[in-house]
């Protein structure tokens, strides 16, 4: 899979692992989650035997697999090991049948038909077939997004969904075989292949050698990739014309309205604002309730009524701003290992008064409010009433203001520092939503009271800054609008 992304990545994986950037905490957490899902999925085929061994003990793992294959009393093998033409694989689940074996690759996702996953299975299928195993069926096992957890033990038949990939594997075999031969030639050449960085460094995943490959490289100011939602066709057209920076885009090149504004702002070095900005900023009703949720998306639903990857809000921050500029802050953080939805929703309903708009930045808060209303029927009326009062600042910024320092992004993390240079998240221990969700999950799992206390403090600081950012941003926009 590494070689299909980039042959230099494969070369480095084989010979220069030391050049890779170490995995981040977030990536490690994703791997851990994948392992937990894999182990649970194996229980769908009970009675199987696990082939252990360390990643480098390949020969021992292959020999153990061989013994289990030969034992007719073994109904399934977990992490079976095979090698063919120098390609070594471990199969998540191998199930014995009357006519050979079924192989299953488990993914912590809900998309069984994803091309990337099917290719992963196809490589394993090619190795097993080459190693003389009769494979009847090959499939990708994913979490079933329609499964609603009723409580108690998971129903593993319903929690997971198997997508068949047998035909895909058979059709991909010839291409894979040719590719493996090509990779061997590259690896035997005695020197790293000559590959430059490009889009492929981030597709399908960010390459761990990007830091190494770009070391000392000078990056362009305002590259065309900073154009908001530039599609592949237009990007290709610009590249074919030799255009690399926004400032070099010809005036008659077709752009969307937002992209044209970005180009104009880059060329002039001046912010742009629409004549409608002042009027739009008058739309929300006082007092303004600046609201932000933090949530995590557990792959395995922890509480009844939840489905895989449902968002589970655990925290909110609310700044209530009066027309005279005075501010009051309210917040809730669920610090127990229990379902946060009801206490969070009740605290929110208590904190938000009956009048005034609820200012948010993105549609996420609406999604969370609707999900809470669905899960808590007795609070649904009040929660849906809050959703009716939402006023989203994101499209206001996107449609009515642009500063060259946004660099093509309308994320509040890009927008606020451009308008209020001293404000922001840079001095905080937690600086983005993904880090917040991860820190929360780890704090709950920690038995150390000091770790929990420190993390909960950092989460409070982070979420408070998110809503303070909206207060600061609105004020800055009002000032700019008044100044014309
Ligand atoms: S950073 Fe890009 S060029 Fe370098 S090894 Fe990775 S994918 Fe290849």
């Amino acid at each position: 899979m590494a070689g299909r992304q980039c042959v230099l990545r494969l070369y480095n994986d084989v010979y220069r692992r030391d050049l890779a950037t170490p995995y981040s905490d977030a990536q490690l957490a994703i791997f851990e989650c994948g392992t937990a899902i894999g182990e649970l999925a194996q229980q769908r085929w009970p009675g199987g035997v696990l082939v252990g061994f360390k990643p480098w003990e390949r020969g021992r793992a292959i020999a153990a697999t061989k013994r289990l294959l030969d034992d007719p009393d073994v109904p399934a093998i977990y992490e079976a090991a095979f090698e063919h033409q120098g390609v070594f694989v471990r199969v998540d689940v191998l199930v014995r049948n009357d006519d050979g074996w079924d192989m299953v690759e488990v993914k912590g996702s809900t998309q069984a038909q994803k091309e990337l996953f099917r290719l992963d299975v196809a490589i394993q299928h090619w190795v097993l077939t080459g190693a003389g195993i009769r494979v009847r069926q090959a499939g990708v096992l994913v979490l079933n997004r329609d499964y609603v957890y009723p409580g108690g033990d998971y129903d593993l038949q319903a929690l997971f969904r198997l997508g068949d990939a047998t035909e895909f594997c058979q059709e991909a075999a010839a291409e894979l075989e040719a590719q493996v031969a090509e990779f061997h030639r590259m690896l035997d050449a005695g020197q790293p292949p000559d590959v430059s960085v490009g889009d492929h460094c981030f597709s399908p995943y960010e390459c761990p050698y990007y830091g190494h490959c770009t070391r000392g490289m000078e990056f362009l100011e305002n590259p065309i990739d900073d154009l908001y939602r530039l599609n592949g066709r237009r990007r290709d057209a610009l590249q074919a014309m030799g255009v690399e920076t926004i400032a070099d885009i010809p005036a008659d090149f077709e752009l969307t309205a937002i992209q044209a504004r970005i180009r104009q702002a880059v060329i002039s070095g001046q912010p742009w604002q629409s004549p409608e900005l002042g009027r739009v900023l008058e739309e929300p009703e006082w007092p303004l309730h600046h609201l932000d949720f933090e949530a995590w998306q557990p792959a395995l639903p922890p509480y009844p009524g939840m489905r895989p990857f449902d968002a589970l809000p655990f925290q909110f921050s609310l700044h209530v701003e009066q027309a005279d500029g005075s501010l009051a802050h309210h917040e809730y953080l669920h610090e127990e290992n229990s379902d946060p939805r009801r206490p969070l929703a009740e605290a929110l309903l208590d904190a938000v008064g009956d009048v005034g708009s609820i200012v948010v930045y993105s549609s996420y808060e609406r999604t969370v409010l609707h999900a809470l209303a669905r899960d808590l029927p007795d609070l649904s009326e009040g929660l849906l009433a809050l959703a009716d009062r939402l006023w989203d600042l994101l499209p206001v910024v996107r449609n009515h203001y642009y500063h060259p320092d946004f660099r093509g992004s309308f994320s509040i993390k890009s927008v606020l520092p451009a308008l209020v240079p001293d404000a922001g998240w840079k001095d905080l221990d937690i600086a983005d939503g993904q880090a917040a969700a991860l820190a929360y999950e780890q704090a709950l799992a920690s038995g150390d009271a000091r770790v929990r206390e420190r993390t909960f403090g950092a989460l409070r600081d982070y979420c408070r800054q998110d809503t303070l950012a909206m207060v600061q941003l609105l004020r800055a926009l009002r000032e700019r609008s008044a100044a014309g």
Side-chain angles (χ1 to χ4, degrees):
M1 294 302 280
R4 288 179 67 95
Q5 176 170 4
C6 167
V7 285
L8 179 56
R9 178 176 180 174
L10 176 62
Y11 178 92
N12 288 336
D13 272 356
V14 173
Y15 298 120
R16 297 300 312 268
R17 261 318 284 180
D18 57 301
L19 300 178
T21 303
Y23 291 123
S24 65
D25 287 352
Q27 286 168 315
L28 291 172
I30 291 169
F31 296 151
E32 268 176 39
C33 175
T35 304
I37 292 168
E39 286 171 1
L40 184 66
Q42 287 167 349
Q43 301 314 311
R44 210 169 181 254
W45 291 274
V49 180
L50 175 70
V51 177
F53 303 106
K54 305 285 184 223
W56 56 89
E57 296 177 313
R58 297 181 174 186
R60 295 180 68 193
I62 290 169
T65 300
K66 171 95 178 59
R67 283 194 294 277
L68 295 170
L69 288 170
D70 292 341
D71 181 349
D73 292 336
V74 173
I77 306 173
Y78 311 140
E79 301 295 332
F82 298 93
E83 185 165 356
H84 176 57
Q85 292 187 13
V87 183
F88 177 80
V89 296
R90 300 289 291 246
V91 181
D92 286 336
V93 188
L94 200 58
V95 187
R96 190 185 295 274
N97 60 53
D98 299 340
D99 190 25
W101 296 86
D102 293 338
M103 51 171 288
V104 179
E105 168 69 10
V106 184
K107 295 291 183 194
S109 162
T110 55
Q111 295 170 278
Q113 299 306 324
K114 201 170 170 178
E115 174 97 352
L116 193 64
F117 298 164
R118 284 147 63 98
L119 267 168
D120 198 340
V121 182
I123 293 168
Q124 297 178 31
H125 184 279
W126 174 77
V127 169
L128 265 66
T129 307
I133 305 298
R134 183 196 287 268
V135 180
R136 185 182 69 174
Q137 197 188 19
V140 182
L141 190 78
V142 294
L143 290 159
N144 176 10
R145 188 72 182 115
D146 296 329
Y147 173 71
V148 180
Y149 176 48
D153 289 342
Y154 293 122
D155 173 349
L156 298 180
Q157 297 305 318
L159 174 64
F160 290 101
R161 196 163 53 84
L162 187 66
D164 184 48
T166 316
E167 210 178 308
F168 180 90
C169 292
Q170 289 159 351
E171 285 169 5
E175 185 202 332
L176 287 173
E177 175 133 355
Q179 213 157 31
V180 166
E182 209 176 288
F183 291 161
H184 277 303
R185 277 195 292 279
M186 180 276 292
L187 290 169
D188 292 342
Q191 57 183 6
D194 185 14
V195 184
S196 305
V197 291
D199 291 349
H200 63 279
C201 304
F202 296 91
S203 176
Y205 301 115
E206 182 175 345
C207 175
Y209 303 103
Y210 192 70
H212 171 75
C213 287
T214 55
R215 190 177 299 157
M217 200 180 262
E218 284 194 13
F219 287 92
L220 291 170
E221 260 304 280
N222 301 305
I224 54 171
D225 284 328
D226 280 2
L227 272 185
Y228 181 72
R229 292 190 180 164
L230 179 67
N231 69 33
R233 197 172 46 80
R234 300 219 159 278
R235 189 169 179 278
D236 290 346
L238 286 169
Q239 281 181 328
M241 291 158 62
V243 174
E244 293 186 330
T245 66
I246 293 173
D248 291 335
I249 297 173
D252 59 355
F253 188 83
E254 196 184 334
L255 297 171
T256 65
I258 294 178
Q259 290 167 351
R261 263 174 233 152
I262 293 176
R263 176 179 170 276
Q264 187 52 40
V266 165
I267 290 172
S268 69
Q270 296 299 316
W272 168 90
Q273 71 184 48
S274 90
E276 298 289 298
L277 179 64
R279 180 191 60 74
V280 176
L281 294 176
E282 293 301 318
E283 280 176 0
E285 291 173 18
W286 298 94
L288 305 183
H289 300 72
H290 303 265
L291 174 66
D292 181 65
F293 288 120
E294 296 304 326
W296 61 302
Q297 288 184 281
L300 298 172
Y303 302 115
M306 290 185 70
R307 296 173 302 166
F309 296 107
D310 265 356
L312 186 62
F314 56 83
Q315 179 180 19
F316 73 76
S317 170
L318 180 76
H319 271 98
V320 183
E321 183 185 14
Q322 303 293 337
D324 65 6
S326 60
L327 273 183
H329 183 244
H330 306 263
E331 65 183 353
Y332 179 83
L333 173 62
H334 195 73
E335 298 187 5
E336 312 297 325
N337 284 317
S338 62
D339 189 344
R341 288 173 293 179
R342 177 169 294 279
L344 176 136
E346 288 174 349
L348 181 64
L349 288 166
D350 276 354
V352 182
D354 294 332
V355 289
S357 296
I358 300 173
V359 183
V360 291
Y361 201 89
S362 91
S363 56
Y364 186 65
E365 275 61 32
R366 183 180 300 282
T367 305
V368 171
L369 283 171
H370 279 275
L372 285 170
R374 179 199 65 206
D375 297 339
L376 304 166
D378 56 315
L379 302 180
S380 149
E381 195 179 335
L383 290 164
L384 292 176
L386 297 188
D388 286 342
R389 289 162 56 192
L390 293 179
W391 185 77
D392 191 349
L393 182 53
L394 169 59
V396 172
V397 176
R398 196 165 48 208
N399 295 326
H400 298 281
Y401 193 84
Y402 188 78
H403 191 290
D405 290 346
F406 289 0
R407 305 206 172 274
S409 165
F410 292 98
S411 149
I412 197 163
K413 305 281 191 310
S414 305
V415 166
L416 183 67
L419 272 80
V420 187
D422 293 335
W425 295 259
K426 57 181 180 295
D427 296 328
L428 300 180
D429 288 340
I430 291 173
D432 64 63
Q434 196 187 15
L438 182 61
Y440 180 71
E441 205 181 334
Q442 288 175 339
L444 283 191
S446 170
D448 187 331
R450 281 168 309 175
V451 169
R452 289 171 80 112
E453 200 178 317
R454 200 171 50 237
T455 306
F456 291 149
L459 282 165
R460 285 202 170 84
D461 291 344
Y462 169 68
C463 200
R464 186 184 306 117
Q465 175 54 38
D466 272 2
T467 49
L468 190 59
M470 287 188 261
V471 175
Q472 294 169 315
L473 179 56
L474 251 182
R475 287 178 180 173
L477 287 170
R478 278 195 215 102
E479 277 169 21
R480 273 152 214 250
S481 161

